[in-house]
Amino acid sequence: MGRGRQKAKNTKVARELKYYSPATDYSALEAELSTKSGDDQYEDKWADLYEDDEEEPAAPDDDRVVELDDEK
C-alpha cells in the first residue's frame, strides 16, 4: 500500500523542483558582469609547479593490415 504514496510523494517533490525558480538579484548580476576585463584576468596559481607539456610525437603511418583468425 505504501508504494503508491511514495510514488505520489516523489512526483510532487520532482514537480516542485522542476518549477522552482529562486529570486534573481539582477543588480548584483549586472555588477558582476560589468567588471573590467583587464582587472579580472585568470591567473593559474599552479602553473609554476609543472613543466609545459610538449607536443606528442605523431603516430607512425602504419599501413599494415591486421588479420584476425575467425575460427568457429
Side-chain angles (χ1 to χ4, degrees):
M1 176 166 53
R3 185 164 171 80
R5 289 182 188 162
Q6 185 64 39
K7 184 177 179 186
K9 185 176 180 180
N10 287 345
T11 303
K12 178 182 176 185
V13 170
R15 191 172 289 123
E16 288 174 357
L17 289 173
K18 180 179 180 181
Y19 295 111
Y20 172 72
S21 61
T24 305
D25 186 2
Y26 292 108
S27 59
L29 179 62
E30 181 182 7
E32 182 178 340
L33 294 176
S34 66
T35 59
K36 295 180 182 177
S37 62
D39 296 341
D40 195 27
Q41 291 293 324
Y42 173 74
E43 181 179 334
D44 188 2
K45 62 182 178 181
W46 305 106
D48 56 345
L49 296 177
Y50 301 100
E51 296 179 14
D52 291 337
D53 292 336
E54 295 183 17
E55 291 185 23
E56 295 181 16
D61 293 333
D62 200 1
D63 294 335
R64 292 184 294 172
V65 176
V66 176
E67 295 182 17
L68 301 175
D69 294 331
D70 290 333
E71 296 180 20
K72 293 183 183 181

